[in-house]
Amino acid sequence: LDYLITRGGGVLRLVAPVYKCATRIGTFVNAQNITIFGYGSELKSYIGTTTQGLIQFGDASVNGVGLYTASSITVNQLTILGVRFTSSDIFNGAIPGRWSDQMPISLNTAKDVLIRDCYFENWDFAAIDFGARCIDCLVDACSFYSSQVEAGHANYGVRIFCYSTYSYINADLSPTDPTTGILKAGYSLPPDTGNFGHENVSVTNCYFEYVSHGVMVSAARRGIVANNRFVNCSTRSISLTTFSQDYLCSNNTHSLDTNQQT
């Protein structure tokens, strides 16, 4: 990836059936015209718990209250196709709802991103996390599966959440006081901040099973959540929360097995 970035772009084709990731693959702040082609290949994570991405793209800098401080696009035209992301670790009982691995994909300050035909199993926190402002991104025809069924646990499928922070585990990440609705100290209403949120980040034709939230949206606008199937989500299938605007949700199907999920 570093080599392709220095060349201004290119295709990284994964050829081995399984890659065992003993460490993070890395953070790539500036990346242009990159395609990761992984049909037939699997990235298996063996890493201790952390909420950074196994592959992290863009500028994820935050200030003291967890607000992203970068909004200028640093990643442009990124495509990830056909990669399987799985965990070999056991469920981490010390942190409810977590596996001892990193999030598979973390995206920040990115534009024109396509993630298609990928598979995610037993990830840590979020399978695909959109953090600092992203524009014109699509997650399409991907599958998200957790083998651990636990009400109230936190393993998001696609998390489109511009107010998150990597600094704390199990912290309240909301910009508002849940009892009053008033903004907490250090936060300001969008679009007054340069890092307002995401524009046109969409999720289509995906499958989610035994996850806490299939699609979680906060501080994002003008996106689509359509033609997805949600099975046994322990908290919500689709969650449109603080500062979510102009989202179209269409033709999604939801089912719940009450023998598994009470």
Side-chain angles (χ1 to χ4, degrees):
L1 283 170
D2 285 332
Y3 173 70
L4 292 179
I5 289 169
T6 62
R7 296 182 66 239
V11 178
L12 171 62
R13 184 170 183 264
L14 305 180
V15 294
V18 178
Y19 294 87
K20 297 179 181 179
C21 303
T23 62
R24 291 187 64 226
I25 292 172
T27 297
F28 308 94
V29 175
N30 295 290
Q32 311 291 323
N33 306 308
I34 299 290
T35 296
I36 300 174
F37 188 92
Y39 289 99
S41 287
E42 175 181 347
L43 296 180
K44 186 178 288 290
S45 179
Y46 281 79
I47 315 171
T49 300
T50 175
T51 48
Q52 288 183 307
L54 179 65
I55 308 177
Q56 183 166 304
F57 290 96
D59 189 340
S61 302
V62 295
N63 62 14
V65 295
L67 274 171
Y68 287 104
T69 55
S71 59
S72 298
I73 296 300
T74 64
V75 176
N76 200 358
Q77 295 186 343
L78 169 68
T79 302
I80 303 174
L81 300 173
V83 183
R84 290 178 62 90
F85 295 87
T86 64
S87 169
S88 62
D89 286 323
I90 62 173
F91 193 71
N92 185 355
I95 304 174
R98 302 289 285 276
W99 294 81
S100 296
D101 293 281
Q102 293 177 325
M103 295 188 299
I105 300 174
S106 175
L107 293 159
N108 307 277
T109 59
K111 182 179 180 182
D112 293 334
V113 174
L114 172 63
I115 302 173
R116 175 172 284 156
D117 294 337
C118 292
Y119 174 82
F120 303 86
E121 182 176 340
N122 296 340
W123 58 91
D124 177 44
F125 193 58
I128 302 174
D129 188 72
F130 291 90
R133 187 171 190 243
C134 294
I135 304 171
D136 298 339
C137 301
L138 174 63
V139 178
D140 181 67
C142 293
S143 294
F144 304 81
Y145 173 76
S146 174
S147 60
Q148 180 73 22
V149 182
E150 180 192 11
H153 73 299
N155 67 331
Y156 303 91
V158 181
R159 187 173 182 265
I160 308 164
F161 200 92
C162 208
Y163 285 100
S164 63
T165 174
Y166 297 125
S167 302
Y168 308 100
I169 295 176
N170 289 346
D172 178 7
L173 303 180
S174 172
T176 57
D177 185 321
T179 59
T180 65
I182 297 174
L183 284 167
K184 298 175 183 175
Y187 291 90
S188 58
L189 283 168
D192 296 339
T193 55
N195 58 356
F196 159 72
H198 305 294
E199 298 273 353
N200 187 27
V201 178
S202 298
V203 182
T204 58
N205 305 304
C206 291
Y207 178 84
F208 302 85
E209 185 173 0
Y210 293 143
V211 302
S212 62
H213 301 71
V215 180
M216 173 71 166
V217 180
S218 179
R221 57 189 172 187
R222 304 187 184 111
I224 296 171
V225 181
N227 303 317
N228 302 290
R229 185 181 178 192
F230 301 92
V231 178
N232 293 335
C233 293
S234 65
T235 307
R236 299 180 186 92
S237 298
I238 302 169
S239 186
L240 302 176
T241 62
T242 312
F243 307 136
S244 298
Q245 300 173 1
D246 303 327
Y247 254 80
L248 171 65
C249 299
S250 173
N251 201 36
N252 299 290
T253 62
H254 314 261
S255 61
L256 187 66
D257 179 355
T258 53
N259 292 321
Q260 293 288 334
Q261 300 292 107
T262 58

